[in-house]
Amino acid sequence: MFELSTPDWNRVVQTEVIDECRILPCGSILIPTNHGNLTLSINEMGIRIQNALKCDVNNYGILVYEPSPFEAAIKSSTTHTHISAKNHRIEIQHSPFAFEWKKSGNTIQKTPSDGHFVRQFRLPPMAKTEEGWLFSINLDAQEPVYGLGEKWSALNKRGQLVRSYNHDALGVNAEISYKNTPFAWSTKGWGLFVHTPSPVTHSVGHANWSQRAYCVLVEDNALDLFLLDGANGALIIEQYTQLTGRSPVPPLWSLGVILSKAYYKDVPELLETAKAVRDKHMPCDVITLDGRAWQDTDTRFAFEWDAKRFDDPAAVINALKAQQFKVCIWEYPLVSVNNKLFDEMARKGWLLKDKRSGQAYRYGWDMSAFAEVLTPLPESGIVDFTHPDAYQFWLESHKPLFDLGIDMIKADFGEQVDNDNMLAYNGDGGKRLHNVYSLLYNQCVYEAAQKYCKTGAFLFSRSAWTGSQRFPSQWGGDPQADWGGLVGSIRGALSWGMSGAPFFATDVGGFYKDTRDPVLFVRWTQAAVFSAHIRLHGIGQREPWSYGSLAERAATKALKLRYRLMPYIYDTMRQSSESGLPVMRAMPLAFPEQGLTHSFEMQFMFGDSLLVAPCTNPDGKVTLYLPQGNWLRFPTKEKYSGHQLLDLTLELDELAVFMPAEHSIPIGAEVENVEMLESDYTQNKDLPHWPESDLSL
């Protein structure tokens, strides 16, 4: 048994090359080993290592692009094989397997130099264990590593043990998270991507494994590794998203404020809230009916309105539309055993099955996470998206909702495929299906929106896996309503962006344990102005006036600024769609050549032109680093020289935002919803630019 916390490397059998390597007709190099045949290919992005089994398993469409191998030459001896293709050179040692990869004479990556008293390597360069494949690459002293999905702690994963495994994390306080991908990169000019649906454990210089190595444990019999070659993080993310896909540009209205709570209990409360938003001139585009707001919790989810509260759903939707709201509704991919749909889908084989009985698996909820705060949930079946008919049924079931006028789906959950007693139609068990289930779920709902939504496809999903960035957008789960929740949410947004996902939102104000802290709400709102999407959501009210008059004025001022920035944000989104770069860019992405900036993990570039340092404490104090160059404070136009540390104390309605002095950005009119915008906003036509024009709020 492989012990994750502190492996016993003495017991791990290292991979060895046992026969002569040769070039296959496809251009890859066949490497016979004691753990089966491997193939290695050199391509436009770097190198790829696979085993023969990779071709015979379910890959779930994670890759959208397959790079072709370069024409290669090999030269072998009894101890080494040398591979060359274009300007790449790879030396493979046979016993044990070890490698060094050079490009134009410079080493890009190699086997770690972590030695042992007796054998050559202390931890295996490569091995096959009962749990899966081990593979190690070198980490230089103090070399940073970024990516690996939505994570709440330090952006630099050096020293961490990270498992790529989706969780209903119930907060932003631990290593577990809702959105994961086994993709990481270093400022030293390399990236690593494991093409798999399965869990992957990453020891990123983790001291219990090795401080000198980045080692992955791929919990699968199949192996498919990409080692990417890019001069900086932006180029490596561009490669990764070429492999796994990029996001289309979301509809313009999705950039507006999304208002929500858990939950509006009846139609009068919902309509009164909508009326108050317009009466108070709060900028807002979307209002959300969360799960308990429109479904009967005992029988959900079945695409049906709770008849006890909604005798005429169309009238409610039309009333919201009359006030120029888009409407978002909640769903999850589970069907209550108390709904007749459960029996119907079970009979047709459209739910995951229980290996032990052959019947539909009945998922039992952990009530400790719900009972005291939210309504208890009944046992449920889990939709089997690997079944083509189930997939199509779920997709088509959205049509009546979109025909009714629904604009947006909040695709919640998706992390419940949690044990190997679950069996999918395609033959995979719960472990292999667990992560990629999110991708299948995201894809199904997004395709439904593409097919039937009249106002443009847009999705809000909580769980995600490699490739989910193709189906915009994602939000960051359920943060605690305190300053730590704000900090974790910002880190999660930046980490997910460094993992190839361009669009993100948080629950502004925090989801649970709300203490009605007006300063926290304002600072969270101000930070969220500078994110791809913005949603006010939590247990209890999130309308600005519910936090008092001072908070209402400051938060509304920030929301108005959001709408003035709409042309700039939309232009940044188009850029993100083309490149894979996130809208929120952590400093190592934005300033790869200015290493001093990289340790400032709570500030970021919002697009190309705005540097944002959110206030994450109640006293209004912000410490930030201005990179080299000349800067203007936004929107006051004060001039600052770069390459300096600033300590600011902000008034409640004040921001710490700066722009390079040579830049300018388009500014829109002050509006309360996107329907009031002119069509040329999407083209930035004839718009004033800041700093040439003043910006008043």
Side-chain angles (χ1 to χ4, degrees), residues 26 52 102 104 201 206 253 420 470 553 563 567 659 668 694 697:
C26 66
K102 292 184 177 182
S104 301
T201 297
H206 179 61
W253 58 261
D420 250 7
R470 305 196 296 258
R553 284 196 293 273
Y563 280 69
M659 189 180 79
D694 288 330
L697 296 172

Side-chain angles (χ1 to χ4, degrees), residues 261-281:
K261 67 175 280 194
Y263 54 101
Y264 300 113
K265 290 183 172 58
D266 51 35
V267 171
E269 182 188 9
L270 174 67
L271 296 181
E272 287 167 11
T273 300
K275 182 177 184 301
V277 168
R278 294 301 181 224
D279 287 348
K280 292 177 178 292
H281 304 289

Side-chain angles (χ1 to χ4, degrees), residues 222-245:
L223 178 69
D224 193 3
L225 290 169
F226 287 86
L227 288 176
L228 305 175
D229 164 36
N232 54 51
L235 293 174
I236 297 169
I237 287 174
E238 185 176 352
Q239 291 177 328
Y240 166 74
T241 54
Q242 185 178 348
L243 289 170
T244 62

